[in-house]
Amino acid sequence: MKTILATVERQTPKKEIIQQAAEILKQGGLVAFPTETVYGLGANGLDAVACKKIYEAKGRPSDNPLILHIAEKKALYDIVKSVSKKAEKLIDAFWPGPLTIVFEKADCVPLEITGGFSTVAVRFPSHTVAQALIQAAHLPIAAPSANSSGKPSPTKASHVIFDLDGKIDMIIDGGDAEVGLESTIIDVSGEIPMLLRPGAVTKEMIESVIGKIEIDPTVLTKPSQTLIPKAPGMKYTHYSPKADVILVQGNDLQKVQQKIQELVNDSTQKVGILATDQTKDSYNCEIVLSLGDRQNLEQIGANLFKHLRKFDFLGVEVVYAETVPQKGEGLAIMNRLQKAAGYKMITLS
Ligand code: AMP
Ligand code: MG
């Protein structure tokens, strides 16, 4: 298949390009498009046949449900059974934006896209291009991250091209995704709301609106046969570059730097270091990538997947990575880092 590649201005995407992409979606095709979190791979979310193509193109396990994207609040009521008070509060506070909410699904939502569950996850993205496309298609758009399953999510159109060129109908390049981490997912159906996947809308931000929430234990602990994540996608190794990733954690940053340097010195493989602005110049290693300023977790989140992909591009075999505190967006960063590392972590006392 020849994949159409079109570039648009982020704030003022050309109407003809959006219309062309919307037609593809209406006819059951696949279009990758930018959102504020990561690039999404879109299909008509009410068309099980179209959505099957998403699973095929990504190599995604069929039990991993898709998020439906809408571009106006009232579209929600067509695809869910009911909207609780807590959900309403979250919607008012965080939509449009990087928060996905899980609801009981309406009958029109095919079970094929919900992994067989009676629930459906819904998000209203804030990105102008995503909104324009969803409005033009006039459909709820199922859109997982536009990467090959298991790879780090794409934050640039070039990442999508690398993974999916020739497998999908169209890619819209609208520049870099500014958040760079997938949306926060919350399930408010139980008595105490549960955070299923951390993201840029943080636990603290959510609690300031609806009070105490719980975190799915698998957010920071390796899933097992007895510890099964409520978001099925979280059970898979995710976000992994080809390289082995090993996290080095400790309260004393200098000790962390020393340990990483020792590991690098002892290694016989091609090594890379995932550092921060505060530490990058202290390392003696050919490949050191800085995630940004340690005090600026948004910046670190935005650079994470890009850098994991860059290590692959550079042929790195082992990455030693610093960690960040698990507060605010740090929880999402640590969740993705731990998954990228397959939970391999050296903790210094
Ligand atoms: P992606 O769009 O690639 O970021 O993946 C979507 C994520 O949302 C996966 O981790 C899914 O398991 C999760 N998800 C989608 N629908 C549901 C649902 N109904 N209940 C719980 N998690 C969901
Ligand atoms: Mg994904």
Side-chain angles (χ1 to χ4, degrees):
M1 173 188 299
K2 175 106 184 78
T3 302
I4 301 163
L5 180 61
T7 302
V8 296
E9 290 290 331
R10 189 193 158 123
Q11 295 306 336
T12 50
K14 253 212 180 105
K15 278 213 178 83
E16 301 85 82
I17 292 176
I18 295 297
Q19 208 48 53
Q20 182 186 14
E23 279 311 315
I24 291 173
L25 291 173
K26 283 197 228 174
Q27 285 166 22
L30 302 185
V31 177
F33 60 95
T35 84
E36 71 277 21
T37 56
V38 299
Y39 271 72
L41 178 59
N44 175 355
L46 302 180
D47 178 348
V49 176
C51 289
K52 190 156 180 265
K53 295 182 195 165
I54 291 182
Y55 286 94
E56 284 165 4
K58 282 178 58 80
R60 183 177 176 102
S62 62
D63 68 346
N64 189 1
L66 307 176
I67 295 172
L68 287 185
H69 292 67
I70 56 174
E72 53 176 350
K73 191 182 154 188
K74 72 176 191 319
L76 176 66
Y77 301 96
D78 298 332
I79 53 177
V80 304
K81 277 234 164 82
S82 61
V83 181
S84 68
K85 281 235 165 63
K86 278 188 178 152
E88 283 284 356
K89 281 189 180 169
L90 291 175
I91 289 167
D92 288 345
F94 301 115
W95 279 10
L99 178 71
T100 296
I101 306 175
V102 176
F103 300 90
E104 279 298 312
K105 77 173 194 71
D107 294 341
C108 64
V109 176
L111 283 167
E112 284 88 343
I113 76 136
T114 66
F117 282 119
S118 64
T119 53
V120 63
V122 186
R123 184 165 99 82
F124 180 169
S126 63
H127 199 290
T128 315
V129 176
Q131 288 185 358
L133 178 61
I134 298 164
Q135 276 160 10
H138 209 67
L139 287 166
I141 300 298
S145 49
N147 53 315
S148 293
S149 222
K151 285 264 187 70
S153 291
T155 61
K156 293 170 169 292
S158 61
H159 299 159
V160 184
I161 295 170
F162 189 83
D163 281 11
L164 298 176
D165 190 26
K167 296 182 176 172
I168 62 177
D169 298 285
M170 185 170 182
I171 298 171
I172 304 177
D173 182 348
D176 290 7
E178 81 244 41
V179 174
L181 299 173
E182 306 84 351
S183 60
T184 305
I185 304 179
I186 185 148
D187 183 345
V188 288
S189 65
E191 202 170 311
I192 301 183
M194 172 89 75
L195 186 74
L196 307 188
R197 179 173 74 183
V201 174
T202 64
K203 175 175 185 274
E204 294 83 348
M205 288 159 74
I206 292 172
E207 287 188 329
S208 75
V209 175
I210 56 167
K212 190 92 192 106
I213 64 168
E214 280 178 359
I215 303 180
D216 186 313
T218 60
V219 161
L220 289 169
T221 314
K222 189 176 181 174
S224 67
Q225 283 190 335
T226 47
L227 198 62
I228 300 165
K230 277 189 83 187
M234 302 291 278
K235 73 173 176 278
Y236 298 105
T237 327
H238 256 62
Y239 322 116
S240 315
K242 285 198 207 99
D244 267 342
V245 179
I246 296 162
L247 311 183
V248 182
Q249 178 166 271
N251 293 331
D252 183 338
L253 189 57
Q254 251 184 339
K255 282 193 182 156
V256 169
Q257 287 168 258
Q258 275 165 12
K259 181 70 187 172
I260 290 179
Q261 189 62 55
E262 265 171 50
L263 290 161
V264 168
N265 296 346
D266 291 348
S267 179
T268 52
Q269 291 176 287
K270 183 157 181 179
V271 187
I273 299 177
L274 197 53
T276 45
D277 286 354
Q278 282 81 350
T279 61
K280 65 178 197 298
D281 296 328
S282 74
Y283 292 114
N284 181 12
C285 178
E286 204 181 313
I287 300 169
V288 180
L289 300 181
S290 172
L291 287 169
D293 180 352
R294 291 199 142 261
Q295 307 305 323
N296 185 345
L297 292 174
E298 283 83 14
Q299 189 183 36
I300 290 186
N303 286 325
L304 179 61
F305 289 146
K306 187 169 71 183
H307 283 3
L308 290 178
R309 280 181 178 260
K310 186 134 186 230
F311 284 123
D312 271 356
F313 184 74
L314 296 170
V316 168
E317 294 166 300
V318 186
V319 175
Y320 293 108
E322 295 172 12
T323 64
V324 295
Q326 289 166 13
K327 279 200 295 267
E329 201 171 320
L331 184 67
I333 294 164
M334 284 307 294
N335 167 261
R336 307 310 193 273
L337 268 174
Q338 289 205 337
K339 284 184 178 288
Y343 300 88
K344 289 191 288 293
M345 178 146 76
I346 297 170
T347 304
L348 304 178
S349 53

